[in-house]
Amino acid sequence: MVGLLAARVPRLVVLVGVLLGGCGCATGRNTVTGRITPAHFEFTQTVKKSGPKNEPGGWRAVCIHARMTMGDSGATHVCKFEVGMPMRNDDQGEISLQDAQVAAAAMANQAMYKILLDADPGVMLFIHCKNFKTLYDLMIKEKIRGAKVTACTSEDVKTIHFDEPYFCDHA
């Protein structure tokens, strides 16, 4: 009976990196596995901080290629996006590399889970990617003023590939 149900309701699985400790699984209508860790956000400084120390400035960015996979069908899509972060803003002052990495990872995981947990498996993965990027952009801007999620367009930033899956079985 469980096998028949599983065949009728495919699980949407996002594979967004190797989990380093703990379980990066969440369940709703779909099972979502994978977890981006702060260490995966290897930001490149693209604009040096100039001007007085107490003024906003400086910029860092990273391009992410996260593989999304439809669990039962095996269909995949590489969701590509750039995360840009100010090095200093008026609201939070200096933003350390560690704080930028933690915020980027936490918001990416929350946005991915929100989009995919109850996503309709009949919708094409690139639509889920688009919805993820829209939500992630809103969430990261709330967390760090001035941060943004865009297409990978900055030159000379590191591209990180999240291709190694981590699976959790909730059957």
Side-chain angles (χ1 to χ4, degrees):
M1 180 68 155
V2 173
L4 181 60
L5 180 60
R8 294 182 135 192
V9 183
R11 294 182 302 157
L12 186 60
V13 180
V14 62
L15 307 173
V16 291
V18 177
L19 177 65
L20 302 175
C23 180
C25 298
T27 58
R29 185 170 82 181
N30 303 306
T31 299
V32 180
T33 64
R35 180 173 169 81
I36 297 174
T37 66
H40 289 112
F41 285 85
E42 298 180 32
F43 286 102
T44 302
Q45 183 176 342
T46 60
V47 177
K48 290 194 181 278
K49 170 82 175 86
S50 61
K53 186 174 182 170
N54 63 344
E55 287 186 3
W59 191 257
R60 55 175 65 105
V62 63
C63 179
I64 305 292
H65 291 190
R67 183 168 44 114
M68 299 170 66
T69 300
M70 183 71 70
D72 290 343
S73 72
T76 64
H77 173 74
V78 177
C79 188
K80 299 176 184 179
F81 55 96
E82 183 173 298
V83 179
M85 291 274 184
M87 295 175 69
R88 185 180 201 299
N89 65 26
D90 284 332
D91 294 335
Q92 291 139 318
E94 296 295 322
I95 301 162
S96 71
L97 176 60
Q98 181 180 8
D99 287 345
Q101 291 171 315
V102 168
M107 297 301 99
N109 289 322
Q110 287 180 28
M112 192 66 81
Y113 290 160
K114 284 183 182 204
I115 293 299
L116 297 179
L117 279 176
D118 292 313
D120 181 350
V123 173
M124 306 224 6
L125 287 172
F126 80 90
I127 298 295
H128 294 310
C129 173
K130 180 179 176 260
N131 292 340
F132 158 74
K133 290 188 285 189
T134 299
L135 179 59
Y136 185 26
D137 183 55
L138 292 171
M139 292 174 72
I140 199 71
K141 284 176 179 175
E142 278 293 313
K143 187 74 173 169
I144 296 183
R145 301 285 186 234
K148 62 183 178 178
V149 176
T150 63
C152 292
T153 57
S154 296
E155 294 183 24
D156 300 325
V157 300
K158 191 164 191 168
T159 298
I160 305 297
H161 298 269
F162 291 104
D163 289 329
E164 297 294 325
Y166 181 83
F167 292 99
C168 289
D169 187 8
H170 290 287

